[in-house]
Amino acid sequence: MSHASYPTVLVGADESVSIFYSVRDADNKSSLARVDIFIDGDRFETGEIRGPLFRPGPRGAFDADGVTVTSLIRRGERLFAYYLGWTIGAHVPFTNFIGLAEVLEDGTLERLSPAPVVGRSRENPFTLGYPWVMELAGEYRMWFGSHLFWGSSGLEMNHVIKQARSLDGIEWEQMPGVVVPLAGQLDPSEFAVSRPSVLQEANGALSMWYARRNPNYRLGHAVSVNGGKSWQRMDDRVTMEGQPDPWERTEITYPCVFDLKGNRYMLYNGDGYGRTGFGLARL
């Protein structure tokens, strides 16, 4: 196995911290692993790695070439895991759609549907993934990445962040419009913003962290003061202090931000899509 990509946090009621992340096999297919971490201020200790807990689907399924969990939420006694399923394409490099699984008592995941819960539509006709789900104003809200188009070759694309809503976390309505667009003239080389991570602040505003690509990955930040209907990009607010280690020298990407014991932390990947692991930063 290689990689430790897309680290995604689950903070327990007892302030325990579990991190779910994607690993790759010899065929480059991703499955799910988990590690528990004890965090106290700037100190942390890691526990035993468990996995694979969730594997790719059967041949022909939307997740046949890999599964990547990017959001976990509790609904009563149940723990839902939202993930993107991978399909390697002949005409485009990949296609993603969003699936839903449940975390069982033994820690493994079970699909709640063999089909995506958020898939192709008139609003999102190409590929969509990296879901982040939270409960907001009496409903569930999902922010996810979506292609506006594929270019003529390779990774030529425009990828932005959109949203969906649900009353039960299972049946989703895709909402029109783009909530976080590309930077445009402020950064003409940017072609993707993806992997949103959202928290609600004490004043009710929403803060979002995401990956932006131009062509290397960097971090971005946006704020919404109207319940996530619109966002203002403030990418210059995201800076990393100190000198980067070799594994993160070129890129910092795929953020997952969480609050714990009065502190705010961010999990992230470095160079090579998490080829050598993930990092933990204190914000």
Side-chain angles (χ1 to χ4, degrees), residues 62 84-89 92-98 116 118-131 144-151 154-162 174 193-194:
F62 80 99
L84 59 148
W86 294 87
T87 302
I88 303 304
V92 295
F94 60 83
T95 300
N96 298 135
F97 300 122
I98 296 170
V118 181
R120 273 198 181 104
S121 66
R122 182 181 295 273
E123 187 68 29
N124 297 287
F126 297 108
T127 181
L128 57 159
Y130 309 103
F144 60 90
S146 177
H147 272 38
L148 297 180
F149 66 84
W150 277 109
L155 290 175
E156 294 178 3
M157 68 177 88
N158 273 4
H159 186 90
V160 297
I161 294 175
K162 297 190 175 186
Q174 298 180 32
V193 287
S194 66

mmCIF file of all heavy atoms in Angstrom, residues 62 84-89 92-98 116 118-131 144-151 154-162 174 193-194:
data_model
loop_
_atom_site.group_PDB
_atom_site.id
_atom_site.type_symbol
_atom_site.label_atom_id
_atom_site.label_comp_id
_atom_site.label_asym_id
_atom_site.label_seq_id
_atom_site.Cartn_x
_atom_site.Cartn_y
_atom_site.Cartn_z
ATOM 1 N N PHE A 62 -19.877 2.650 -10.012
ATOM 2 C CA PHE A 62 -19.324 4.000 -10.070
ATOM 3 C C PHE A 62 -18.085 4.151 -9.202
ATOM 4 O O PHE A 62 -17.323 5.108 -9.367
ATOM 5 C CB PHE A 62 -20.382 5.029 -9.645
ATOM 6 C CG PHE A 62 -20.567 5.152 -8.153
ATOM 7 C CD1 PHE A 62 -19.956 6.169 -7.441
ATOM 8 C CD2 PHE A 62 -21.367 4.249 -7.459
ATOM 9 C CE1 PHE A 62 -20.127 6.297 -6.065
ATOM 10 C CE2 PHE A 62 -21.552 4.365 -6.092
ATOM 11 C CZ PHE A 62 -20.926 5.386 -5.389
ATOM 12 N N LEU A 84 -16.296 9.848 -2.467
ATOM 13 C CA LEU A 84 -16.311 9.881 -3.917
ATOM 14 C C LEU A 84 -15.843 8.539 -4.439
ATOM 15 O O LEU A 84 -14.871 7.963 -3.945
ATOM 16 C CB LEU A 84 -15.462 11.019 -4.483
ATOM 17 C CG LEU A 84 -13.984 11.102 -4.154
ATOM 18 C CD1 LEU A 84 -13.236 11.722 -5.335
ATOM 19 C CD2 LEU A 84 -13.742 11.968 -2.929
ATOM 20 N N GLY A 85 -16.581 8.018 -5.401
ATOM 21 C CA GLY A 85 -16.187 6.799 -6.080
ATOM 22 C C GLY A 85 -15.413 7.135 -7.337
ATOM 23 O O GLY A 85 -15.719 8.106 -8.036
ATOM 24 N N TRP A 86 -14.384 6.338 -7.608
ATOM 25 C CA TRP A 86 -13.500 6.581 -8.747
ATOM 26 C C TRP A 86 -13.770 5.580 -9.872
ATOM 27 O O TRP A 86 -13.901 4.381 -9.621
ATOM 28 C CB TRP A 86 -12.041 6.443 -8.334
ATOM 29 C CG TRP A 86 -11.555 7.473 -7.370
ATOM 30 C CD1 TRP A 86 -11.635 7.425 -6.014
ATOM 31 C CD2 TRP A 86 -10.897 8.700 -7.699
ATOM 32 N NE1 TRP A 86 -11.072 8.556 -5.460
ATOM 33 C CE2 TRP A 86 -10.608 9.349 -6.471
ATOM 34 C CE3 TRP A 86 -10.524 9.311 -8.891
ATOM 35 C CZ2 TRP A 86 -9.966 10.580 -6.409
ATOM 36 C CZ3 TRP A 86 -9.883 10.535 -8.831
ATOM 37 C CH2 TRP A 86 -9.607 11.150 -7.606
ATOM 38 N N THR A 87 -13.826 6.104 -11.098
ATOM 39 C CA THR A 87 -13.834 5.275 -12.298
ATOM 40 C C THR A 87 -12.778 5.826 -13.250
ATOM 41 O O THR A 87 -12.798 7.023 -13.578
ATOM 42 C CB THR A 87 -15.201 5.288 -12.997
ATOM 43 O OG1 THR A 87 -16.201 4.840 -12.088
ATOM 44 C CG2 THR A 87 -15.186 4.367 -14.218
ATOM 45 N N ILE A 88 -11.848 4.993 -13.656
ATOM 46 C CA ILE A 88 -10.830 5.405 -14.624
ATOM 47 C C ILE A 88 -11.447 5.399 -16.018
ATOM 48 O O ILE A 88 -12.109 4.436 -16.410
ATOM 49 C CB ILE A 88 -9.610 4.471 -14.576
ATOM 50 C CG1 ILE A 88 -9.028 4.447 -13.161
ATOM 51 C CG2 ILE A 88 -8.554 4.924 -15.574
ATOM 52 C CD1 ILE A 88 -8.654 5.808 -12.615
ATOM 53 N N GLY A 89 -11.235 6.490 -16.782
ATOM 54 C CA GLY A 89 -11.894 6.627 -18.064
ATOM 55 C C GLY A 89 -10.985 6.359 -19.257
ATOM 56 O O GLY A 89 -9.759 6.359 -19.133
ATOM 57 N N VAL A 92 -11.416 10.492 -20.709
ATOM 58 C CA VAL A 92 -10.983 11.453 -19.689
ATOM 59 C C VAL A 92 -10.249 10.659 -18.612
ATOM 60 O O VAL A 92 -10.455 9.451 -18.470
ATOM 61 C CB VAL A 92 -12.168 12.234 -19.094
ATOM 62 C CG1 VAL A 92 -12.815 13.111 -20.149
ATOM 63 C CG2 VAL A 92 -13.188 11.299 -18.459
ATOM 64 N N PRO A 93 -9.381 11.324 -17.832
ATOM 65 C CA PRO A 93 -8.575 10.560 -16.864
ATOM 66 C C PRO A 93 -9.386 9.826 -15.805
ATOM 67 O O PRO A 93 -8.997 8.734 -15.360
ATOM 68 C CB PRO A 93 -7.699 11.652 -16.224
ATOM 69 C CG PRO A 93 -7.622 12.733 -17.253
ATOM 70 C CD PRO A 93 -8.953 12.727 -17.915
ATOM 71 N N PHE A 94 -10.516 10.412 -15.358
ATOM 72 C CA PHE A 94 -11.301 9.794 -14.297
ATOM 73 C C PHE A 94 -12.701 10.377 -14.302
ATOM 74 O O PHE A 94 -12.959 11.444 -14.880
ATOM 75 C CB PHE A 94 -10.657 10.029 -12.922
ATOM 76 C CG PHE A 94 -10.523 11.490 -12.559
ATOM 77 C CD1 PHE A 94 -11.571 12.208 -12.000
ATOM 78 C CD2 PHE A 94 -9.337 12.166 -12.814
ATOM 79 C CE1 PHE A 94 -11.449 13.552 -11.694
ATOM 80 C CE2 PHE A 94 -9.196 13.517 -12.508
ATOM 81 C CZ PHE A 94 -10.267 14.212 -11.944
ATOM 82 N N THR A 95 -13.606 9.692 -13.613
ATOM 83 C CA THR A 95 -14.941 10.207 -13.333
ATOM 84 C C THR A 95 -15.256 9.903 -11.874
ATOM 85 O O THR A 95 -14.998 8.797 -11.401
ATOM 86 C CB THR A 95 -16.010 9.573 -14.245
ATOM 87 O OG1 THR A 95 -15.694 9.868 -15.604
ATOM 88 C CG2 THR A 95 -17.388 10.123 -13.915
ATOM 89 N N ASN A 96 -15.795 10.896 -11.169
ATOM 90 C CA ASN A 96 -16.187 10.740 -9.776
ATOM 91 C C ASN A 96 -17.672 11.017 -9.594
ATOM 92 O O ASN A 96 -18.207 11.923 -10.232
ATOM 93 C CB ASN A 96 -15.438 11.724 -8.857
ATOM 94 C CG ASN A 96 -13.944 11.533 -8.852
ATOM 95 O OD1 ASN A 96 -13.196 12.501 -8.940
ATOM 96 N ND2 ASN A 96 -13.489 10.308 -8.741
ATOM 97 N N PHE A 97 -18.314 10.245 -8.715
ATOM 98 C CA PHE A 97 -19.637 10.566 -8.217
ATOM 99 C C PHE A 97 -19.641 10.324 -6.714
ATOM 100 O O PHE A 97 -18.737 9.683 -6.170
ATOM 101 C CB PHE A 97 -20.718 9.734 -8.916
ATOM 102 C CG PHE A 97 -20.767 9.952 -10.401
ATOM 103 C CD1 PHE A 97 -20.600 8.898 -11.275
ATOM 104 C CD2 PHE A 97 -20.965 11.220 -10.927
ATOM 105 C CE1 PHE A 97 -20.632 9.095 -12.643
ATOM 106 C CE2 PHE A 97 -20.982 11.430 -12.293
ATOM 107 C CZ PHE A 97 -20.829 10.372 -13.158
ATOM 108 N N ILE A 98 -20.674 10.811 -6.039
ATOM 109 C CA ILE A 98 -20.694 10.820 -4.580
ATOM 110 C C ILE A 98 -21.567 9.688 -4.051
ATOM 111 O O ILE A 98 -22.738 9.566 -4.419
ATOM 112 C CB ILE A 98 -21.195 12.179 -4.068
ATOM 113 C CG1 ILE A 98 -20.207 13.280 -4.485
ATOM 114 C CG2 ILE A 98 -21.377 12.159 -2.547
ATOM 115 C CD1 ILE A 98 -20.714 14.686 -4.252
ATOM 116 N N PRO A 116 -24.716 6.190 -6.900
ATOM 117 C CA PRO A 116 -24.398 7.452 -6.225
ATOM 118 C C PRO A 116 -25.629 8.080 -5.586
ATOM 119 O O PRO A 116 -26.749 7.931 -6.078
ATOM 120 C CB PRO A 116 -23.865 8.328 -7.364
ATOM 121 C CG PRO A 116 -23.514 7.400 -8.477
ATOM 122 C CD PRO A 116 -24.435 6.237 -8.354
ATOM 123 N N VAL A 118 -25.376 11.431 -5.076
ATOM 124 C CA VAL A 118 -25.299 12.657 -5.870
ATOM 125 C C VAL A 118 -24.505 12.312 -7.121
ATOM 126 O O VAL A 118 -23.307 12.029 -7.054
ATOM 127 C CB VAL A 118 -24.619 13.814 -5.107
ATOM 128 C CG1 VAL A 118 -24.602 15.070 -5.974
ATOM 129 C CG2 VAL A 118 -25.328 14.095 -3.789
ATOM 130 N N GLY A 119 -25.190 12.305 -8.258
ATOM 131 C CA GLY A 119 -24.557 11.899 -9.510
ATOM 132 C C GLY A 119 -24.786 12.909 -10.609
ATOM 133 O O GLY A 119 -25.112 14.077 -10.357
ATOM 134 N N ARG A 120 -24.632 12.458 -11.843
ATOM 135 C CA ARG A 120 -24.789 13.358 -12.989
ATOM 136 C C ARG A 120 -26.194 13.961 -13.022
ATOM 137 O O ARG A 120 -27.186 13.314 -12.690
ATOM 138 C CB ARG A 120 -24.556 12.601 -14.293
ATOM 139 C CG ARG A 120 -23.108 12.540 -14.709
ATOM 140 C CD ARG A 120 -22.995 12.182 -16.184
ATOM 141 N NE ARG A 120 -21.613 12.093 -16.593
ATOM 142 C CZ ARG A 120 -20.964 10.958 -16.797
ATOM 143 N NH1 ARG A 120 -21.574 9.809 -16.627
ATOM 144 N NH2 ARG A 120 -19.694 10.969 -17.177
ATOM 145 N N SER A 121 -26.241 15.210 -13.473
ATOM 146 C CA SER A 121 -27.515 15.917 -13.615
ATOM 147 C C SER A 121 -27.323 17.006 -14.656
ATOM 148 O O SER A 121 -26.212 17.248 -15.139
ATOM 149 C CB SER A 121 -27.937 16.526 -12.275
ATOM 150 O OG SER A 121 -27.028 17.552 -11.901
ATOM 151 N N ARG A 122 -28.400 17.698 -14.976
ATOM 152 C CA ARG A 122 -28.287 18.835 -15.891
ATOM 153 C C ARG A 122 -27.354 19.895 -15.308
ATOM 154 O O ARG A 122 -26.588 20.543 -16.024
ATOM 155 C CB ARG A 122 -29.675 19.429 -16.155
ATOM 156 C CG ARG A 122 -29.675 20.598 -17.134
ATOM 157 C CD ARG A 122 -31.083 21.147 -17.313
ATOM 158 N NE ARG A 122 -31.939 20.173 -17.933
ATOM 159 C CZ ARG A 122 -32.074 19.997 -19.250
ATOM 160 N NH1 ARG A 122 -31.361 20.744 -20.079
ATOM 161 N NH2 ARG A 122 -32.895 19.084 -19.729
ATOM 162 N N GLU A 123 -27.394 20.058 -13.972
ATOM 163 C CA GLU A 123 -26.572 21.059 -13.308
ATOM 164 C C GLU A 123 -25.106 20.626 -13.233
ATOM 165 O O GLU A 123 -24.204 21.449 -13.279
ATOM 166 C CB GLU A 123 -27.116 21.316 -11.900
ATOM 167 C CG GLU A 123 -26.458 22.452 -11.158
ATOM 168 C CD GLU A 123 -26.749 23.811 -11.770
ATOM 169 O OE1 GLU A 123 -27.824 23.994 -12.378
ATOM 170 O OE2 GLU A 123 -25.874 24.695 -11.651
ATOM 171 N N ASN A 124 -24.871 19.312 -13.136
ATOM 172 C CA ASN A 124 -23.511 18.772 -12.978
ATOM 173 C C ASN A 124 -23.338 17.576 -13.924
ATOM 174 O O ASN A 124 -23.442 16.422 -13.508
ATOM 175 C CB ASN A 124 -23.289 18.349 -11.523
ATOM 176 C CG ASN A 124 -23.377 19.511 -10.564
ATOM 177 O OD1 ASN A 124 -22.485 20.349 -10.497
ATOM 178 N ND2 ASN A 124 -24.479 19.578 -9.823
ATOM 179 N N PRO A 125 -23.065 17.827 -15.199
ATOM 180 C CA PRO A 125 -23.098 16.765 -16.200
ATOM 181 C C PRO A 125 -21.815 15.953 -16.347
ATOM 182 O O PRO A 125 -21.823 14.951 -17.071
ATOM 183 C CB PRO A 125 -23.393 17.521 -17.497
ATOM 184 C CG PRO A 125 -22.764 18.869 -17.275
ATOM 185 C CD PRO A 125 -22.951 19.159 -15.825
ATOM 186 N N PHE A 126 -20.717 16.341 -15.680
ATOM 187 C CA PHE A 126 -19.443 15.690 -15.958
ATOM 188 C C PHE A 126 -18.985 14.802 -14.808
ATOM 189 O O PHE A 126 -19.149 13.602 -14.839
ATOM 190 C CB PHE A 126 -18.385 16.737 -16.325
ATOM 191 C CG PHE A 126 -18.698 17.489 -17.569
ATOM 192 C CD1 PHE A 126 -19.092 18.821 -17.508
ATOM 193 C CD2 PHE A 126 -18.627 16.884 -18.807
ATOM 194 C CE1 PHE A 126 -19.397 19.527 -18.660
ATOM 195 C CE2 PHE A 126 -18.934 17.571 -19.967
ATOM 196 C CZ PHE A 126 -19.323 18.905 -19.892
ATOM 197 N N THR A 127 -18.362 15.385 -13.815
ATOM 198 C CA THR A 127 -17.833 14.606 -12.696
ATOM 199 C C THR A 127 -17.918 15.466 -11.440
ATOM 200 O O THR A 127 -17.771 16.693 -11.500
ATOM 201 C CB THR A 127 -16.375 14.174 -12.960
ATOM 202 O OG1 THR A 127 -15.895 13.395 -11.855
ATOM 203 C CG2 THR A 127 -15.451 15.348 -13.175
ATOM 204 N N LEU A 128 -18.202 14.846 -10.305
ATOM 205 C CA LEU A 128 -18.352 15.602 -9.071
ATOM 206 C C LEU A 128 -17.930 14.751 -7.882
ATOM 207 O O LEU A 128 -18.095 13.530 -7.872
ATOM 208 C CB LEU A 128 -19.782 16.110 -8.893
ATOM 209 C CG LEU A 128 -20.936 15.121 -8.886
ATOM 210 C CD1 LEU A 128 -22.142 15.765 -8.203
ATOM 211 C CD2 LEU A 128 -21.347 14.733 -10.306
ATOM 212 N N GLY A 129 -17.326 15.414 -6.876
ATOM 213 C CA GLY A 129 -16.827 14.654 -5.737
ATOM 214 C C GLY A 129 -16.389 15.559 -4.600
ATOM 215 O O GLY A 129 -16.773 16.723 -4.520
ATOM 216 N N TYR A 130 -15.564 15.025 -3.703
ATOM 217 C CA TYR A 130 -15.058 15.734 -2.523
ATOM 218 C C TYR A 130 -16.182 16.332 -1.671
ATOM 219 O O TYR A 130 -16.155 17.519 -1.330
ATOM 220 C CB TYR A 130 -14.067 16.837 -2.933
ATOM 221 C CG TYR A 130 -12.970 16.372 -3.861
ATOM 222 C CD1 TYR A 130 -13.022 16.657 -5.221
ATOM 223 C CD2 TYR A 130 -11.900 15.637 -3.368
ATOM 224 C CE1 TYR A 130 -12.022 16.220 -6.078
ATOM 225 C CE2 TYR A 130 -10.890 15.202 -4.227
ATOM 226 C CZ TYR A 130 -10.960 15.494 -5.575
ATOM 227 O OH TYR A 130 -9.979 15.065 -6.420
ATOM 228 N N PRO A 131 -17.200 15.548 -1.305
ATOM 229 C CA PRO A 131 -18.309 16.130 -0.554
ATOM 230 C C PRO A 131 -17.920 16.485 0.879
ATOM 231 O O PRO A 131 -17.150 15.780 1.536
ATOM 232 C CB PRO A 131 -19.344 14.995 -0.557
ATOM 233 C CG PRO A 131 -18.519 13.745 -0.630
ATOM 234 C CD PRO A 131 -17.364 14.100 -1.536
ATOM 235 N N PHE A 144 -19.493 20.439 -2.662
ATOM 236 C CA PHE A 144 -18.745 19.442 -3.417
ATOM 237 C C PHE A 144 -18.106 20.091 -4.638
ATOM 238 O O PHE A 144 -18.492 21.176 -5.072
ATOM 239 C CB PHE A 144 -19.658 18.281 -3.843
ATOM 240 C CG PHE A 144 -20.822 18.695 -4.711
ATOM 241 C CD1 PHE A 144 -20.699 18.728 -6.097
ATOM 242 C CD2 PHE A 144 -22.039 19.049 -4.148
ATOM 243 C CE1 PHE A 144 -21.766 19.106 -6.898
ATOM 244 C CE2 PHE A 144 -23.117 19.429 -4.938
ATOM 245 C CZ PHE A 144 -22.983 19.456 -6.317
ATOM 246 N N GLY A 145 -17.121 19.417 -5.199
ATOM 247 C CA GLY A 145 -16.466 19.885 -6.409
ATOM 248 C C GLY A 145 -17.155 19.359 -7.648
ATOM 249 O O GLY A 145 -17.649 18.231 -7.670
ATOM 250 N N SER A 146 -17.186 20.175 -8.689
ATOM 251 C CA SER A 146 -17.849 19.781 -9.938
ATOM 252 C C SER A 146 -17.103 20.370 -11.126
ATOM 253 O O SER A 146 -16.678 21.530 -11.095
ATOM 254 C CB SER A 146 -19.300 20.268 -9.935
ATOM 255 O OG SER A 146 -19.951 19.969 -11.161
ATOM 256 N N HIS A 147 -16.951 19.568 -12.163
ATOM 257 C CA HIS A 147 -16.343 20.048 -13.406
ATOM 258 C C HIS A 147 -17.346 20.896 -14.193
ATOM 259 O O HIS A 147 -18.488 20.474 -14.405
ATOM 260 C CB HIS A 147 -15.938 18.861 -14.288
ATOM 261 C CG HIS A 147 -14.562 18.344 -14.023
ATOM 262 N ND1 HIS A 147 -14.012 18.264 -12.767
ATOM 263 C CD2 HIS A 147 -13.614 17.853 -14.880
ATOM 264 C CE1 HIS A 147 -12.783 17.748 -12.856
ATOM 265 N NE2 HIS A 147 -12.527 17.506 -14.123
ATOM 266 N N LEU A 148 -16.883 22.042 -14.666
ATOM 267 C CA LEU A 148 -17.659 22.808 -15.632
ATOM 268 C C LEU A 148 -17.428 22.283 -17.040
ATOM 269 O O LEU A 148 -18.316 22.365 -17.883
ATOM 270 C CB LEU A 148 -17.284 24.289 -15.560
ATOM 271 C CG LEU A 148 -17.575 24.999 -14.230
ATOM 272 C CD1 LEU A 148 -17.153 26.463 -14.317
ATOM 273 C CD2 LEU A 148 -19.034 24.874 -13.843
ATOM 274 N N PHE A 149 -16.231 21.765 -17.288
ATOM 275 C CA PHE A 149 -15.954 21.092 -18.557
ATOM 276 C C PHE A 149 -14.628 20.357 -18.455
ATOM 277 O O PHE A 149 -13.809 20.621 -17.570
ATOM 278 C CB PHE A 149 -15.912 22.085 -19.733
ATOM 279 C CG PHE A 149 -14.772 23.073 -19.682
ATOM 280 C CD1 PHE A 149 -13.515 22.737 -20.159
ATOM 281 C CD2 PHE A 149 -14.959 24.350 -19.172
ATOM 282 C CE1 PHE A 149 -12.458 23.631 -20.125
ATOM 283 C CE2 PHE A 149 -13.920 25.263 -19.131
ATOM 284 C CZ PHE A 149 -12.668 24.905 -19.607
ATOM 285 N N TRP A 150 -14.427 19.416 -19.363
ATOM 286 C CA TRP A 150 -13.135 18.790 -19.608
ATOM 287 C C TRP A 150 -12.511 19.433 -20.836
ATOM 288 O O TRP A 150 -13.214 19.704 -21.820
ATOM 289 C CB TRP A 150 -13.289 17.301 -19.871
ATOM 290 C CG TRP A 150 -13.381 16.417 -18.664
ATOM 291 C CD1 TRP A 150 -14.485 15.748 -18.219
ATOM 292 C CD2 TRP A 150 -12.320 16.049 -17.782
ATOM 293 N NE1 TRP A 150 -14.185 15.016 -17.100
ATOM 294 C CE2 TRP A 150 -12.858 15.168 -16.806
ATOM 295 C CE3 TRP A 150 -10.958 16.388 -17.709
ATOM 296 C CZ2 TRP A 150 -12.091 14.630 -15.778
ATOM 297 C CZ3 TRP A 150 -10.197 15.857 -16.685
ATOM 298 C CH2 TRP A 150 -10.756 14.989 -15.735
ATOM 299 N N GLY A 151 -11.205 19.645 -20.790
ATOM 300 C CA GLY A 151 -10.492 20.146 -21.960
ATOM 301 C C GLY A 151 -10.226 19.030 -22.954
ATOM 302 O O GLY A 151 -10.708 17.906 -22.828
ATOM 303 N N GLY A 154 -5.631 15.338 -21.260
ATOM 304 C CA GLY A 154 -5.055 15.285 -19.923
ATOM 305 C C GLY A 154 -5.951 15.850 -18.845
ATOM 306 O O GLY A 154 -7.151 15.556 -18.791
ATOM 307 N N LEU A 155 -5.361 16.679 -17.978
ATOM 308 C CA LEU A 155 -6.082 17.260 -16.854
ATOM 309 C C LEU A 155 -6.601 18.666 -17.156
ATOM 310 O O LEU A 155 -6.837 19.450 -16.232
ATOM 311 C CB LEU A 155 -5.182 17.284 -15.616
ATOM 312 C CG LEU A 155 -4.879 15.924 -14.988
ATOM 313 C CD1 LEU A 155 -3.878 16.069 -13.850
ATOM 314 C CD2 LEU A 155 -6.167 15.258 -14.486
ATOM 315 N N GLU A 156 -6.783 18.974 -18.435
ATOM 316 C CA GLU A 156 -7.396 20.250 -18.779
ATOM 317 C C GLU A 156 -8.844 20.247 -18.306
ATOM 318 O O GLU A 156 -9.639 19.382 -18.675
ATOM 319 C CB GLU A 156 -7.339 20.486 -20.286
ATOM 320 C CG GLU A 156 -5.934 20.658 -20.827
ATOM 321 C CD GLU A 156 -5.930 20.840 -22.335
ATOM 322 O OE1 GLU A 156 -7.025 20.888 -22.931
ATOM 323 O OE2 GLU A 156 -4.838 20.921 -22.914
ATOM 324 N N MET A 157 -9.202 21.209 -17.456
ATOM 325 C CA MET A 157 -10.531 21.229 -16.848
ATOM 326 C C MET A 157 -10.785 22.588 -16.219
ATOM 327 O O MET A 157 -9.879 23.386 -16.025
ATOM 328 C CB MET A 157 -10.619 20.174 -15.745
ATOM 329 C CG MET A 157 -9.736 20.510 -14.534
ATOM 330 S SD MET A 157 -9.850 19.362 -13.154
ATOM 331 C CE MET A 157 -8.590 18.174 -13.649
ATOM 332 N N ASN A 158 -12.043 22.832 -15.872
ATOM 333 C CA ASN A 158 -12.434 23.860 -14.917
ATOM 334 C C ASN A 158 -13.258 23.168 -13.845
ATOM 335 O O ASN A 158 -14.281 22.539 -14.150
ATOM 336 C CB ASN A 158 -13.256 24.977 -15.577
ATOM 337 C CG ASN A 158 -12.373 26.061 -16.160
ATOM 338 O OD1 ASN A 158 -11.158 25.970 -16.154
ATOM 339 N ND2 ASN A 158 -13.009 27.097 -16.687
ATOM 340 N N HIS A 159 -12.806 23.274 -12.599
ATOM 341 C CA HIS A 159 -13.433 22.553 -11.489
ATOM 342 C C HIS A 159 -13.736 23.563 -10.384
ATOM 343 O O HIS A 159 -12.843 24.288 -9.924
ATOM 344 C CB HIS A 159 -12.477 21.467 -10.977
ATOM 345 C CG HIS A 159 -13.073 20.573 -9.943
ATOM 346 N ND1 HIS A 159 -13.730 19.408 -10.255
ATOM 347 C CD2 HIS A 159 -13.100 20.659 -8.586
ATOM 348 C CE1 HIS A 159 -14.126 18.803 -9.145
ATOM 349 N NE2 HIS A 159 -13.766 19.554 -8.109
ATOM 350 N N VAL A 160 -15.007 23.628 -9.955
ATOM 351 C CA VAL A 160 -15.466 24.632 -8.995
ATOM 352 C C VAL A 160 -16.227 23.944 -7.867
ATOM 353 O O VAL A 160 -16.433 22.727 -7.885
ATOM 354 C CB VAL A 160 -16.370 25.677 -9.684
ATOM 355 C CG1 VAL A 160 -15.591 26.446 -10.749
ATOM 356 C CG2 VAL A 160 -17.601 25.003 -10.297
ATOM 357 N N ILE A 161 -16.669 24.726 -6.894
ATOM 358 C CA ILE A 161 -17.409 24.175 -5.764
ATOM 359 C C ILE A 161 -18.883 24.569 -5.887
ATOM 360 O O ILE A 161 -19.220 25.736 -6.091
ATOM 361 C CB ILE A 161 -16.819 24.661 -4.430
ATOM 362 C CG1 ILE A 161 -15.404 24.091 -4.273
ATOM 363 C CG2 ILE A 161 -17.708 24.225 -3.262
ATOM 364 C CD1 ILE A 161 -14.668 24.591 -3.056
ATOM 365 N N LYS A 162 -19.746 23.558 -5.752
ATOM 366 C CA LYS A 162 -21.200 23.742 -5.798
ATOM 367 C C LYS A 162 -21.808 23.195 -4.512
ATOM 368 O O LYS A 162 -21.096 22.808 -3.590
ATOM 369 C CB LYS A 162 -21.778 23.057 -7.041
ATOM 370 C CG LYS A 162 -21.270 23.656 -8.357
ATOM 371 C CD LYS A 162 -22.054 23.109 -9.530
ATOM 372 C CE LYS A 162 -21.660 23.780 -10.833
ATOM 373 N NZ LYS A 162 -22.522 23.339 -11.967
ATOM 374 N N GLN A 174 -29.677 18.855 -5.819
ATOM 375 C CA GLN A 174 -28.562 19.674 -6.275
ATOM 376 C C GLN A 174 -29.057 21.100 -6.531
ATOM 377 O O GLN A 174 -30.045 21.302 -7.216
ATOM 378 C CB GLN A 174 -27.951 19.081 -7.542
ATOM 379 C CG GLN A 174 -27.387 17.683 -7.331
ATOM 380 C CD GLN A 174 -26.787 17.097 -8.590
ATOM 381 O OE1 GLN A 174 -26.246 17.815 -9.421
ATOM 382 N NE2 GLN A 174 -26.869 15.775 -8.737
ATOM 383 N N VAL A 193 -10.748 24.467 -7.906
ATOM 384 C CA VAL A 193 -10.900 24.604 -6.455
ATOM 385 C C VAL A 193 -11.721 23.403 -6.004
ATOM 386 O O VAL A 193 -12.754 23.086 -6.598
ATOM 387 C CB VAL A 193 -11.571 25.939 -6.052
ATOM 388 C CG1 VAL A 193 -10.620 27.094 -6.227
ATOM 389 C CG2 VAL A 193 -12.851 26.187 -6.836
ATOM 390 N N SER A 194 -11.236 22.695 -4.978
ATOM 391 C CA SER A 194 -11.863 21.421 -4.627
ATOM 392 C C SER A 194 -11.618 21.087 -3.167
ATOM 393 O O SER A 194 -10.920 21.795 -2.449
ATOM 394 C CB SER A 194 -11.309 20.300 -5.519
ATOM 395 O OG SER A 194 -9.934 20.076 -5.246
#
